[in-house]
């Protein structure tokens, strides 16, 4: 008998992959035609190469999306549980955002000068996340890059530390992994000409002794981490880990940067507020301005004072931070509407039970089919992982990934009108997601599992 893949017979995976790919092609003639046409002038036929990473024979081309539904150019409707990988996780085009965009569009989009919204958005961010000072950038990647630069400037230390399996955007310093306990470049990097491992240390998540040893030499400016790793399946912090992380970083004079770009799903104010974390910096992008490109980073009063000191000690000139469209008027106006009217405590009151319903529903179906899998939640984010135990670190999480099984499931779901994240088995729910949508997804997952385990 062939070795099982995540508890599933490989022949069943092969059969599902073949059938679902064929079905996908049959069902999407217009998307196929547009994908072919785009190849004439877009490298790989798409404006951003990740758009090919869905594993489909060609990308679905979208006609429109509203709330928790999305329509493609072939006339198919989807229940969206991926929401642009978090960029629209509070729903597609919520009314307050659509209104704010129209308002600002009528009075200019970018001036490299502040507007009335600036003071208000600062107050809203401070209220939501509990940090007194803020700066804006255009993407979460940029927010992380700028924060790393600030951390080096104020500590005068050269190195940073990240956890194995992390993802913080296209921020060069973070592209380091562990292989057999040794730091290496993240596989697949293009054009990497200098050795990132010289200035970036990497240890396993949930491993305090390794962290302590890496920080002890006193050359690390900051630890940059998500409070739960969400980009390598899902790795939750073990009890006491985040407290120990804070204590050890303080002990060694290392700044703690919490990236809330995905874990803003946890609750109002993200994981930081929900679990009373005490970061020196907090970064967040993606959904913060309702789907308009914008990110922000917040910091403590102590850090702000150290930033001023570093600036005063530095000759004037270009800081290496900031881009022309950062904090443009449109982004700030959309962010104000988003924080005032969309990302509210009431929104989370709907989202969290809905995600629990999805997670517990999927878990029951997995159990009933005797599959060695589990489901984890970080608030409105739920992930089913094709392994029996919750992974403790990036290495275990990587071992729990079964790309063929996952792709078969994704294609099955897409062909039946459900979008979940393409890179792993992540689902998001929005304030617009209904219990009916969740129940339909759970029932369809069950149909898929039934075929896989026969
Ligand atoms: C935790 C985290 N931080 C930062 C980023 C980068 O976001 P962006 O690609 O919008 O710059 C991502 C993207 O997936 C992320 O998951």
């Amino acid at each position: 008998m062939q070795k099982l893949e995540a508890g599933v017979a490989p022949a069943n995976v092969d059969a599902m992959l073949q059938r679902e790919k064929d079905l996908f092609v049959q069902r999407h003639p217009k998307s196929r035609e547009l994908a072919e046409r785009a190849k004439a002038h877009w490298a790989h036929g798409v404006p951003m190469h990740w758009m090919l990473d869905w594993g489909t024979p060609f990308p679905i081309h979208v006609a429109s999306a509203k709330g928790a539904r999305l329509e493609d150019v072939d006339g198919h409707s989807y229940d969206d549980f991926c929401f642009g990988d978090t960029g629209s996780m509070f729903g597609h085009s919520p009314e307050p955002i659509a209104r704010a965009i129209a308002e600002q569009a009528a009075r200019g989009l970018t001036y490299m000068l502040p507007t009335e919204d600036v003071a208000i958005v600062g107050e809203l961010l401070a209220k939501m996340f509990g940090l007194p000072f803020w700066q804006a950038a255009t993407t979460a990647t940029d927010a992380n890059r700028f924060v790393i630069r600030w951390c080096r400037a104020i500590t005068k230390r050269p190195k940073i530390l990240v956890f194995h399996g992390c993802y913080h955007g296209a921020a060069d310093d973070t592209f380091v992994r562990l292989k057999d306990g040794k730091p290496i470049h993240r596989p697949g990097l293009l054009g990497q000409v200098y050795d990132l491992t010289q200035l970036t240390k990497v240890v396993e998540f949930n491993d305090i002794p390794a962290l302590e040893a890496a920080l002890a030499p006193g050359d690390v400016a900051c630890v940059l981490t998500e409070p739960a790793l969400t980009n390598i399946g899902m790795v939750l912090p073990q009890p006491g880990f985040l407290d120990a992380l804070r204590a050890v970083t303080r002990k060694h004079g290392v700044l703690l940067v919490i990236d809330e770009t995905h874990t803003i799903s946890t609750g109002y104010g993200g994981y930081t507020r929900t679990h009373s974390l005490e970061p020196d910096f907090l970064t967040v992008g993606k959904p913060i301005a309702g789907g308009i490109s914008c990110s922000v980073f917040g910091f403590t009063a102590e850090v702000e004072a150290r930033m001023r000191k570093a600036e005063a000690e530095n000759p004037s000139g270009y800081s290496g931070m900031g881009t022309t469209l950062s904090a443009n008027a449109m982004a700030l106006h959309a962010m104000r509407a988003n924080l005032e009217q969309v990302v509210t405590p009431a929104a989370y009151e709907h989202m969290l039970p809905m995600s629990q319903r999805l997670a517990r529903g999927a878990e029951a179906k997995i159990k009933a089919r005797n599959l060695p899998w589990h489901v984890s939640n970080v608030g409105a984010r739920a992930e089913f992982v094709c392994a029996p135990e919750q992974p403790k670190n990036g290495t275990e999480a990587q071992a729990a990934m079964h790309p063929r099984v996952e792709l078969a499931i994704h294609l099955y779901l897409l062909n039946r009108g459900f979008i979940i994240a393409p890179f792993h088995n992540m689902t998001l729910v929005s304030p617009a997601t209904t219990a009916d949508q969740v129940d339909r997804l759970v029932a369809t997952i069950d149909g898929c599992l039934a075929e896989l385990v026969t």
Side-chain angles (χ1 to χ4, degrees), residues 266-288:
T266 313
Y268 183 73
Y271 204 101
T272 292
R273 180 171 172 150
T274 308
H275 295 278
S276 307
L277 306 188
E278 295 177 3
D280 297 294
F281 280 97
L282 178 154
T283 61
V284 57
K286 295 203 186 183
I288 199 70

Side-chain angles (χ1 to χ4, degrees), residues 52-179:
L52 293 179
D53 287 357
W54 290 78
T56 49
F58 44 83
I60 286 174
H61 284 54
V62 178
S64 67
K66 185 75 184 159
R69 300 278 291 168
L70 184 146
E71 313 276 326
D72 73 14
V73 291
D74 286 289
H76 303 300
S77 283
Y78 301 84
D79 289 324
D80 193 0
F81 290 90
C82 175
F83 295 95
D85 195 13
T86 311
S88 295
M89 73 163 286
F90 293 91
H92 293 289
S93 289
E95 287 307 327
I97 304 293
R99 238 186 349 260
I101 290 171
E103 276 162 16
Q104 195 60 43
R107 56 189 186 217
L109 305 178
T110 187
Y111 336 110
M112 216 177 76
L113 283 169
T115 58
E116 179 187 53
D117 292 323
V118 167
I120 295 164
V121 169
E123 289 157 15
L124 290 165
L125 288 168
K127 175 172 161 249
M128 181 168 176
F129 293 104
L131 284 164
F133 290 105
W134 293 85
Q135 283 283 276
T138 314
T139 61
T141 296
D142 272 352
N144 285 325
R145 284 174 41 219
F146 300 159
V147 165
I148 289 170
R149 199 172 264 278
W150 272 121
C151 290
R152 286 175 164 148
I154 67 182
T155 61
K156 300 193 170 51
R157 295 177 177 186
K159 300 194 178 179
I160 69 160
L161 184 141
V162 295
F163 292 106
H164 175 64
C166 71
Y167 185 69
H168 299 285
D172 290 352
D173 291 273
T174 63
F175 290 143
V176 173
R177 287 282 182 272
L178 281 177
K179 185 162 190 241

Side-chain angles (χ1 to χ4, degrees), residues 95 269 288 306 311 384 389:
E95 287 307 327
I288 199 70
R306 292 176 74 185
E311 277 177 315
F384 63 92
E389 306 290 337

